[in-house]
Amino acid sequence: MVAHVTTVAFLGLEARSVDVQVQITNGANHFGLVGLPDKAVNESKERVTATMHAIGLTRPFRRVVVNLSPADLPKEGSHYDLAIALGLLAAMKIVDAETLSHYVVVGELGLDGRIAPVPGVLLAALHASASDRGLICPAAQGAEAAWAGRIEVVAAPDLLSLLNHLKGVQLLPAPEPARAEARTAGPDLGEVKGQETAKRALEIAAAGGHNLLMCGPPGAGKSLLAACLPGILPELTPEEALEVSMIASIAGTLDGGRLQRQRPFRSPHHGASMAALVGGGTRARPGEVSMAHLGVLFLDELPEFQRQVLDSLRQPLETGRIEVARAAMHVTYPARVQLVAAMNPCRCGHLGEPALACARAPRCAADYQAKISGPMLDRIDLHVDVPALSAADLTLPPPAEPSADVAARVAAARDRQTARYGPGGPRSNAEADGKLLEAAAAPDEPGRKLLAQAADAMRLSARGYHRILRVARTIADLAGADAVGRIHIAEALSYRRRPPTA
């Protein structure tokens, strides 16, 4: 007899069915595991054996073969433990195999029989729902699995209580979906003194989902401004919250099974590797750009990142997804992020201040900023200078306008974009393209002439030209204007990159 238990293998945000087949036959004592298991999966033999001893059972001293089908699909992670154990118990006639056929099973076993949390439970639950099955998972993640909808979720703390539930001796309570996490309060724009131009650029970036680069000396407030951005962005919609939570689930960072309602804000160190930033490694895990999906990716000290690491962001910034290709697998993660970057104008950081700048100015600025490739800079919509604050600025009272007021204007602009593009269309102006962008952002005649003159004088690329249109459309949305005018084009052009000056 061959016992069958269904579990899943994760390929990016896709969960694929894996049939765990367990066969016990006569022969020498042997416990074999086949079907391209990695080391963590192969070690499940020891955990399953120890768990059975912990609940008073003994693995048969016969030939036991476990096949993970399809055999050509790589299997990674410890979530196969519980499915292997239940398959073995079904082959031993301790658990009814027919009952197990109605479930997808995920969970890691401890040596004492407890079932430990594993990454990807939300994805497994959604896969179980799509295949009209229930889900057996760790008790600590029952609230996470319950978000999948109307499916039966068996959240067991240990193997013994799960066996009692399957036999009808002791029923486990059905878990309830965890409440969505509360929005946490971050820095407020009311705390930022001065920097009115940078705050205006931040508002435009939030309203249209545009990429932003801030350049200024140390201590000017660039990092504080970036940290204020999540406070003026609108909350995630339920569909967006599910997308973000799926990525957090596969990464194992979904806290308490609560769906994320606040947009992610990721700030990796400039020493991050390419795999850390865009994803990859031996298990092709999501990188920072995917963990920041539908949120903000903040890169401080931009020129200090390795150039090839920064250039690896060029494709995801354009397409909104990242494809991680490895010899053993090819996975795709979503990566629709809003890039916010900060940098000093030169290595010493005080270009333009004769008393502080180094003797190599302005050559040092050109060398320092040349560490960022032109194609990378061309993908950034808004470039704004953040000058140093004077002593007089620091003694001024705090600004009267808090983040809540700016957030209200941003929300109104986003509502206009949603009404314009309709359901299933771009989420923001930054995503609009092709005929949709031409129809939405076509400027009036004075604006068209100004844009044509600027495109020639500034030698704008086709990408830069369309990014000007997107930013101008957002400025018009903030002003409540139906059409893009000359004034909107002019302000959008003021945020384009200019060569460094002394």
Side-chain angles (χ1 to χ4, degrees):
M1 173 190 171
V2 178
H4 296 263
V5 177
T6 301
T7 184
V8 290
F10 300 112
L11 292 180
L13 294 187
E14 178 188 2
R16 293 191 185 179
S17 291
V18 172
D19 183 20
V20 179
Q21 306 166 1
V22 182
Q23 183 183 56
I24 303 175
T25 58
N26 294 326
N29 182 29
H30 172 74
F31 193 175
L33 192 58
V34 296
L36 285 184
D38 73 345
K39 188 171 179 59
V41 180
N42 212 29
E43 289 174 347
S44 67
K45 295 184 293 186
E46 303 299 329
R47 292 191 290 271
V48 169
T49 301
T51 295
M52 292 185 66
H53 280 294
I55 63 174
L57 298 173
T58 303
R59 178 177 65 79
F61 285 91
R62 298 163 67 188
R63 181 177 177 82
V64 178
V65 178
V66 179
N67 179 40
L68 306 177
S69 178
D72 60 346
L73 178 68
K75 318 299 187 308
E76 297 177 342
S78 59
H79 65 276
Y80 294 93
D81 288 5
L82 187 56
I84 293 172
L86 290 177
L88 181 57
L89 292 172
M92 296 167 60
K93 309 289 181 133
I94 296 175
V95 180
D96 181 39
E98 177 63 25
T99 301
L100 292 176
S101 67
H102 300 294
Y103 295 96
V104 172
V105 181
V106 291
E108 177 186 327
L109 291 175
L111 299 183
D112 57 356
R114 283 182 288 187
I115 304 175
V118 292
V121 165
L122 180 57
L123 273 72
L126 292 170
H127 176 80
S129 177
S131 58
D132 199 23
R133 286 189 172 100
L135 180 77
I136 297 176
C137 67
Q141 294 175 296
E144 175 183 342
W147 282 107
R150 296 181 179 179
I151 67 169
E152 181 187 358
V153 177
V154 179
D158 53 68
L159 184 58
L160 186 58
S161 61
L162 175 58
L163 294 179
N164 289 335
H165 175 87
L166 294 175
K167 290 175 177 292
V169 176
Q170 177 187 0
L171 296 181
L172 295 169
E176 295 292 332
R179 296 184 64 182
E181 65 174 11
R183 185 163 183 166
T184 56
D188 195 283
L189 281 174
E191 303 171 10
V192 182
K193 296 184 178 181
Q195 308 300 5
E196 297 304 320
T197 302
K199 286 192 276 191
R200 169 63 174 172
L202 198 71
E203 180 179 344
I204 296 170
H210 303 291
N211 301 328
L212 170 67
L213 172 62
M214 295 178 285
C215 182
K222 303 184 295 295
S223 298
L224 177 60
L225 284 164
C228 290
L229 182 55
I232 62 176
L233 288 171
E235 279 194 356
L236 295 167
T237 65
E239 294 79 9
E240 291 175 336
L242 187 60
E243 284 185 54
V244 172
S245 299
M246 286 169 64
I247 299 172
S249 176
I250 198 66
T253 60
L254 198 59
D255 184 25
R258 293 188 293 271
L259 288 193
Q260 296 184 221
R261 294 305 302 271
Q262 188 167 346
R263 295 186 182 271
F265 182 85
R266 306 289 295 189
S267 179
H269 187 263
H270 57 73
S273 66
M274 186 181 298
L277 200 60
V278 300
T282 56
R283 296 190 178 184
R285 292 300 189 196
E288 291 292 328
V289 70
S290 295
M291 297 297 293
H293 178 58
L294 298 180
V296 178
L297 178 65
F298 177 49
L299 301 183
D300 201 5
E301 307 294 347
L302 187 67
E304 299 299 334
F305 284 83
Q306 297 180 42
R307 182 163 181 164
Q308 63 179 0
V309 173
L310 284 181
D311 284 344
S312 68
L313 290 175
R314 284 157 55 178
Q315 181 196 20
L317 286 178
E318 201 72 20
T319 63
R321 65 180 185 276
I322 181 71
E323 297 183 3
V324 181
R326 295 292 182 268
M329 65 181 66
H330 189 160
V331 301
T332 301
Y333 290 108
R336 182 65 67 182
V337 300
Q338 186 173 354
L339 174 66
V340 176
M343 61 179 288
N344 296 328
C346 60
R347 186 170 293 278
C348 68
H350 298 286
L351 182 72
E353 299 182 40
L356 298 175
C358 66
R360 294 185 63 246
R363 176 67 182 274
C364 64
D367 291 345
Y368 190 64
Q369 297 184 27
K371 297 172 70 174
I372 309 170
S373 68
M376 181 66 184
L377 288 172
D378 201 34
R379 285 167 166 80
I380 299 178
D381 306 332
L382 304 167
H383 299 250
V384 62
D385 291 327
V386 184
L389 291 174
S390 65
D393 291 329
L394 294 173
T395 58
L396 292 173
E401 187 173 58
S403 288
D405 294 348
V406 180
R409 293 197 297 269
V410 168
R414 288 285 184 116
D415 288 342
R416 292 188 186 97
Q417 294 164 48
T418 301
R420 179 187 306 121
Y421 300 125
R427 293 184 175 98
S428 64
N429 288 328
E431 298 181 28
D433 206 353
K435 293 181 179 179
L436 202 60
L437 176 63
E438 293 176 4
D444 58 15
E445 186 60 23
R448 188 191 63 78
K449 290 182 178 179
L450 176 61
L451 182 56
Q453 294 170 0
D456 183 57
M458 301 173 70
R459 297 182 179 179
L460 293 176
S461 66
R463 179 187 293 113
Y465 180 90
H466 289 109
R467 288 185 181 272
I468 290 291
L469 286 178
R470 293 188 184 100
V471 174
R473 179 64 265 178
T474 299
I475 295 171
D477 286 336
L478 283 169
D482 293 330
V484 175
R486 179 184 175 90
I487 188 172
H488 308 132
I489 295 290
E491 184 175 1
L493 287 168
S494 71
Y495 295 116
R496 287 305 293 177
R497 181 174 66 99
R498 295 175 294 277
T501 57

